């Protein structure tokens, strides 16, 4: 199938674009009307075969879901509402059209729930791995932007959901590609915390926020570095996924939960945000310190917080 | 070198972002203030090793230049002014840091000339080819958007610059990786027609426009299909690069010139746009017809216009 025919096929599987999309898929570029008085948030993230996923136990629909989810997670960490997405596919010659369909359908199902519209993209041939690169834009009020910086010493650190599930799920699939269960779903279909990120920003409950792509320890270090602070994490308080280890939670990566810093004086704002997104657990796991050491409190003693998962070394 | 260190290194090679960039490289996403009363144009395009380039005769700086240039060319074809870019790098393990530097420098030099700012991106590891995926945004007035559709029967077709040079350059390099010259530069360092695209849109001289990534014949077919028209191209009128063949011009691809349709009543507007961008050749090469056939007039007889270069089949 030629490039133009494949683009037409993908376009036919996607819902019609809303009115703010002036030119959608099929021209040299997409054209959209910006949201008045809001800032635009832009992020891109790439899923690479044999680095981020293994096609023997991750289906095309899962890949489509995850390639969008990891970008939506970045928007959530900024407190932004998703708006439009661009899909760049680099396809091996042997990748069947039915798998392109499944990939697009997996992405489109999440896109519909997140109210983000795929308005364009690109298709190229790959001499090797399947690569799915997604760019997403969102919008946010200027005073509601959440960054990694801006936290103060004494702020309390919280995480959404559970930790370590994705690492456990990956290990489970590596042992047996046919296995299923909660952890496997956490790995295959991470759920971006879009609504909660929006609430944290609207409420101005959080002073700093990051999404956990490379493990809790990496996230804590990123917020600490950006804010010029250290941290003490309480190992006993971590909401570890059933069956996962402390190491999975700290350094496993790919949980895509939000880690954020809240001033003790803003706990009531946080309570309000939690009531609005009541199906999501939120757990206090430590605090930021003026001393820049990164520490883990475990069984009554303090140790160095381990490094996170390194994608690239 | 770890991912965070590499991001910091890239950031240090880029110019400081302008005031409309609220959050730049280094957070979960970039945040920018949109331009008031303008539409936003978004495009993404990907350069894949051994599909789009061969590292034995294309340097890292060339790859960086071209990965941005092909996106800027898409913006030019929409009549949009470039604004910000995201750079997604998928790097083989053996790709040296000095080559990352060169790639970023090649991209940054073009970015500075085009006044586009790299505000974010992503770095991933590749199990095989080097992949450089760039997303660019631009801005345009609602009534100045150039699309592929909107042309009328009787409109005249024009191209900027010369055709076939990139195909000739590629062939020259394949024969001798050490060769140089005009055609080789055309292939390695395509020049996006940003200023002329802007003039065409501002002037409302063109009714339809596309950039030539897959050869003239493909571009003519795209405008024809989007506008519901056929075309007659005059082979003798084509501004073929010295040494290139008619086939290079029609189906060679990668020239990144603009092909556009002008109503005969708007020739004076086109003349005005040409005066403002006087260093760029603009050549009339044919016209659009209500009969939907795609024809090439050659040596006094009409034949079917050949298909363009197919990236994907």
């Amino acid at each position: 199938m030629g490039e133009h025919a494949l683009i037409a096929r993908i376009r036919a599987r996607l819902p019609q674009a809303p009115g703010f999309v002036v030119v959608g898929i099929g021209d040299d570029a997409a054209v959209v009307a910006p949201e008045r008085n809001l800032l635009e948030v832009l992020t891109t993230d790439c899923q690479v075969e044999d680095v981020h996923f293994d096609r023997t136990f991750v289906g095309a629909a899962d890949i489509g879901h995850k390639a969008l989810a990891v970008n939506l997670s970045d928007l959530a960490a900024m407190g932004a509402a998703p708006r439009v997405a661009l899909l760049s596919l680099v396809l091996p010659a042997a990748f069947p059209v039915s798998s392109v369909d499944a990939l697009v359908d997996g992405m489109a199902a999440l896109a519909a729930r997140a109210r983000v519209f795929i308005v364009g993209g690109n298709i190229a041939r790959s001499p090797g791995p399947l690569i799915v690169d997604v760019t997403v834009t969102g919008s946010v009020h200027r005073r509601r932007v959440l960054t990694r910086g801006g936290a103060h010493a004494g702020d309390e650190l919280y995480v959404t959901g559970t930790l370590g599930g994705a690492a456990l799920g990956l290990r489970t699939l590596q042992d047996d590609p046919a296995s299923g269960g909660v952890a496997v779903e956490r790995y295959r279909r991470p759920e971006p915390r879009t609504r909660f990120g929006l609430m944290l920003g609207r409420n101005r409950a959080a002073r700093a926020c990051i999404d956990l792509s490379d493990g809790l320890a990496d996230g804590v270090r990123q917020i600490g570095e950006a804010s010029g602070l250290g941290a003490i994490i309480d190992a006993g308080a971590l909401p570890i996924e059933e069956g996962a280890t402390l190491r999975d939670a700290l350094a496993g990566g790919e949980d895509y939960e939000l880690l954020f810093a809240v001033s003790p004086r803003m706990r009531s704002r946080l309570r309000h945000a939690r009531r609005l997104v009541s199906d999501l657990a939120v757990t206090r796991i430590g605090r930021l310190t003026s001393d820049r050491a990164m520490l883990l409190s475990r069984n009554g003693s303090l140790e160095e917080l381990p490094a996170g998962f390194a994608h690239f070394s």
Side-chain angles (χ1 to χ4, degrees), chain A residues 77-284:
Chain A
M78 304 298 288
R83 202 141 191 270
V84 304
L86 301 173
L87 167 59
S88 181
L89 285 172
V90 185
L91 301 176
F95 197 68
V97 172
S98 60
S99 294
V100 176
D101 290 347
L103 191 157
V104 169
D105 291 350
M107 186 172 293
L110 175 60
R113 281 195 285 127
R115 292 164 168 268
V116 61
F117 299 90
I118 298 166
V119 296
N122 187 63
I123 299 177
R125 191 162 56 77
S126 172
L130 168 66
I131 291 170
V132 187
D133 202 354
V134 173
T135 298
V136 170
T137 76
S139 56
V140 66
H141 273 279
R142 183 178 284 269
R143 291 186 310 166
R144 291 170 178 172
V145 177
L146 295 171
T147 64
R148 297 178 183 180
H152 294 202
D155 284 359
E156 292 166 335
L157 289 169
Y158 291 81
V159 288
T160 58
T162 59
L163 301 176
L168 170 62
L170 172 58
R171 210 161 49 232
T172 307
L173 286 167
Q174 283 168 335
D175 287 348
D176 175 9
S179 47
V182 172
V184 163
E185 281 309 289
R186 288 297 313 257
Y187 172 72
R188 277 192 183 135
R189 298 266 178 154
E191 190 60 33
R193 303 308 186 188
T194 303
R195 253 190 95 216
F196 192 72
L198 271 171
M199 289 304 149
L200 279 182
R202 281 189 195 161
N203 243 345
R204 302 173 73 188
R207 284 209 271 226
C209 187
I210 189 173
D211 75 313
L212 296 179
S213 52
D214 296 338
L216 177 68
D218 179 76
V220 170
R221 284 176 187 279
Q222 295 298 320
I223 285 187
E225 272 170 36
S227 302
L229 301 169
I232 300 177
I233 301 301
D234 179 1
L238 299 183
I240 300 178
E241 183 73 45
E242 197 185 325
T245 65
L246 176 62
R247 191 188 146 83
D248 291 335
L250 290 174
E254 300 214 272
D255 284 322
Y256 297 104
E257 297 293 351
L258 297 181
L259 167 71
F260 54 98
V262 178
S263 161
R265 287 181 293 117
M266 293 185 190
R267 277 190 200 145
S268 63
R269 290 188 187 176
L270 176 60
R271 269 197 301 273
H272 186 67
R274 289 168 74 161
R275 272 199 301 273
L276 294 172
V277 189
S278 58
D279 54 342
L280 182 64
V282 174
T283 309
R284 190 168 71 195

Side-chain angles (χ1 to χ4, degrees), chain A residues 35 38-43 75 80-84 136-140:
Chain A
E35 291 218 67
L38 295 186
L39 298 180
E40 182 176 44
V41 183
L42 303 113
T43 188
L75 288 191
R83 202 141 191 270
V84 304
V136 170
T137 76
S139 56
V140 66

